[in-house]
Amino acid sequence: MTLHANSDAVTAHSPTAAETGDRIEQVKISLAFLPLATPVSDAKVLTVRQKPLTEVAIIFAEIRTRDGFEGIGFSYSKRAGGQGIYAHAKEIADNLLGEDPNDIDKIYTKLLWAGASVGRSGMAVQTISPIDIALWDMKAKRARLPLAKLLGAHRDSVQCYNTSGGFLHKPLEQVLKNVVISRENGIGGIKIKVGQPNTAEDIRRLTAVRQALGDDFPLMVDANQQWDRETAIRMGRKMEAFNLVWIEEPLDAYDVEGHAALATALDTPIATGEMLTSFQEHEQLILGNACDFIQPDAPRVGGVTPFLKIMDLAAKHGNKLAPHFAMEVHLHLSAAYPIEPWLEHFEWLNPLFNEQLELRDGRMWVSDRPGLGFTISEQARRWTVQTYEFK
């Protein structure tokens, strides 16, 4: 049999994805400073390692495509680093122009190599975070889905605990008032700060809060890396009686062996990970059995893309999830985690956005708004001090 090729079939072909895909045509990077109403102190301040926190630097990324799709994302830094993240973002953001916004992992790798001279953790990936988050926001908007649904949600709400009412700069009387207010507002758990030079004061405050909450209401403590190994084991044993959900950051963030020893020795679960800035650092914690709750922070680890890899590894090893800060992003990621997680409630970022999250019955609920579900407020624009656009 002789086959005769049709001349039209030889010359014509169906359009390829490369030929028809959308393209990024505009990127806007902005730096804003969010002022805090009162200076905030945790154990790092009381041990004279840091100054009180007075503002939070916010780095926004706004991305627009040829087909008219838009995405927004943000990163942040406390005390120092905001100007550096913004400066590095200006160095690498032009690499986005002309790229298909759907190829998020490809873009992430391209941006990582663009800044390879400054490493693959720390400020290098915190710079990529707002861009990566914006691309995921856009991808979910394109699908007309909340990001949680795009990722594949296991739940439509996440149990939520409050941290901001339990800082060490607040007198105990105010902490107890904040506990009452948080419960009345529908919070599902309370976390207070510990790690003071006077450990007896930590126990006094913890005792008062536990009595106010009752025996079974979820309660956590956070030492912000201020104990050595000996103090951590002694305090951990004293705190066994308080029925805590977890003890957070009892040791230096990079002390994998010390955290693993505590997790083995104590009945109370250990939580850590918020200060780490790469997948590889979280991998060491997880593979080292160094915690029961892993606490990655999407803006710190490089955005949604590496966060999903951390989630996958943590789930395979049975870790529970309790992301740090940035509930506006972490609600969606937590909703997609197979093991019941906790979400940290911080109202600090509320003024940055026109929309707010819904807290009800101890849980934060995923809205039906596409993407992250937020638009940048006029107040955030007024706090913006620098902006740079690429077209």
Side-chain angles (χ1 to χ4, degrees), residues 148-331:
K149 294 295 185 182
L150 179 74
L151 297 175
H154 284 268
R155 58 195 63 81
D156 294 322
S157 66
V158 179
Q159 55 188 349
C160 187
Y161 72 94
N162 178 266
T163 293
S164 58
F167 275 92
L168 292 177
H169 68 276
K170 297 180 183 293
L172 178 57
E173 294 73 18
Q174 184 61 53
V175 172
L176 294 175
K177 290 179 182 178
N178 293 340
V179 165
V180 173
I181 294 170
S182 293
R183 292 192 70 173
E184 289 176 349
N185 289 339
I187 203 70
I190 295 290
K191 187 173 79 179
I192 67 168
K193 298 291 186 173
V194 295
Q196 301 184 75
N198 182 359
T199 57
E201 180 63 14
D202 282 336
I203 297 299
R204 185 181 78 88
R205 289 166 67 96
L206 179 55
T207 299
V209 172
R210 173 48 84 197
Q211 289 175 347
L213 289 172
D215 293 338
D216 297 324
F217 192 85
L219 175 62
M220 307 85 162
V221 299
D222 183 357
N224 287 111
Q225 309 179 72
Q226 295 310 294
W227 291 331
D228 57 27
R229 291 185 179 186
E230 292 77 12
T231 304
I233 192 65
R234 286 199 302 269
M235 291 298 287
R237 286 170 177 159
K238 289 180 180 180
M239 291 179 176
E240 296 277 33
F242 291 93
N243 188 29
L244 299 176
V245 179
W246 69 66
I247 298 172
E248 184 171 333
E249 284 198 317
L251 300 169
D252 184 278
Y254 294 94
D255 187 358
V256 175
E257 291 182 358
H259 279 105
L262 279 179
T264 299
L266 299 176
D267 291 335
T268 304
I270 298 298
T272 191
E274 69 176 67
M275 297 304 299
L276 306 183
T277 58
S278 69
F279 167 78
Q280 288 78 11
E281 292 168 351
H282 284 85
E283 182 180 42
Q284 291 178 27
L285 278 183
I286 294 167
L287 298 183
N289 298 312
C291 60
D292 303 282
F293 285 88
I294 193 77
Q295 297 186 298
D297 182 322
R300 282 183 174 163
V301 302
V304 173
T305 297
F307 195 103
L308 293 175
K309 296 175 183 177
I310 294 169
M311 281 175 49
D312 182 59
L313 183 64
K316 288 177 180 176
H317 286 81
N319 290 91
K320 295 183 179 180
L321 179 72
H324 170 254
F325 202 59
M327 63 183 181
E328 294 77 7
V329 177
H330 292 144
L331 172 60

Side-chain angles (χ1 to χ4, degrees), residues 16-245:
T16 67
E19 294 168 331
T20 60
D22 196 4
R23 292 291 181 268
I24 295 171
E25 68 174 16
Q26 183 177 357
V27 182
K28 181 178 178 181
I29 304 294
S30 303
L31 173 65
F33 287 94
L34 185 159
L36 300 180
T38 58
V40 173
S41 297
D42 57 24
K44 296 187 293 293
V45 175
L46 271 65
T47 53
V48 201
R49 291 182 169 179
Q50 289 184 341
K51 296 178 181 179
L53 179 65
T54 59
E55 63 184 9
V56 180
I58 305 293
I59 301 86
F60 288 111
E62 299 169 76
I63 301 174
R64 182 178 176 84
T65 73
R66 182 185 62 198
D67 291 349
F69 289 95
E70 297 179 346
I72 64 168
F74 69 92
S75 188
Y76 73 92
S77 188
K78 299 175 181 177
R79 294 184 177 87
Q83 293 280 5
I85 295 173
Y86 175 73
H88 189 45
K90 290 197 302 179
E91 293 180 312
I92 66 172
D94 64 334
N95 286 279
L96 289 160
L97 298 178
E99 290 287 348
D100 187 329
N102 295 294
D103 298 337
I104 299 178
D105 198 65
K106 172 191 172 184
I107 294 172
Y108 185 89
T109 301
K110 184 178 183 180
L111 294 177
L112 200 61
W113 279 107
S117 290
V118 292
R120 299 185 185 183
S121 63
M123 190 177 292
V125 298
Q126 288 172 297
T127 298
I128 299 174
S129 295
I131 295 169
D132 185 81
I133 292 169
L135 291 173
W136 280 100
D137 177 53
M138 182 190 297
K139 192 165 192 173
K141 287 175 179 174
R142 188 186 294 269
R144 299 181 181 179
L145 292 171
L147 178 58
K149 294 295 185 182
L150 179 74
L151 297 175
H154 284 268
R155 58 195 63 81
D156 294 322
S157 66
V158 179
Q159 55 188 349
C160 187
Y161 72 94
N162 178 266
T163 293
S164 58
F167 275 92
L168 292 177
H169 68 276
K170 297 180 183 293
L172 178 57
E173 294 73 18
Q174 184 61 53
V175 172
L176 294 175
K177 290 179 182 178
N178 293 340
V179 165
V180 173
I181 294 170
S182 293
R183 292 192 70 173
E184 289 176 349
N185 289 339
I187 203 70
I190 295 290
K191 187 173 79 179
I192 67 168
K193 298 291 186 173
V194 295
Q196 301 184 75
N198 182 359
T199 57
E201 180 63 14
D202 282 336
I203 297 299
R204 185 181 78 88
R205 289 166 67 96
L206 179 55
T207 299
V209 172
R210 173 48 84 197
Q211 289 175 347
L213 289 172
D215 293 338
D216 297 324
F217 192 85
L219 175 62
M220 307 85 162
V221 299
D222 183 357
N224 287 111
Q225 309 179 72
Q226 295 310 294
W227 291 331
D228 57 27
R229 291 185 179 186
E230 292 77 12
T231 304
I233 192 65
R234 286 199 302 269
M235 291 298 287
R237 286 170 177 159
K238 289 180 180 180
M239 291 179 176
E240 296 277 33
F242 291 93
N243 188 29
L244 299 176
V245 179

Side-chain angles (χ1 to χ4, degrees), residues 340-359:
E340 181 70 34
W342 278 97
L343 182 69
E344 184 171 31
H345 181 273
F346 259 101
E347 70 280 2
W348 293 0
L349 304 187
N350 285 354
L352 299 177
F353 306 106
N354 294 311
E355 302 80 9
Q356 302 300 318
L357 294 173
E358 181 183 358
L359 176 65

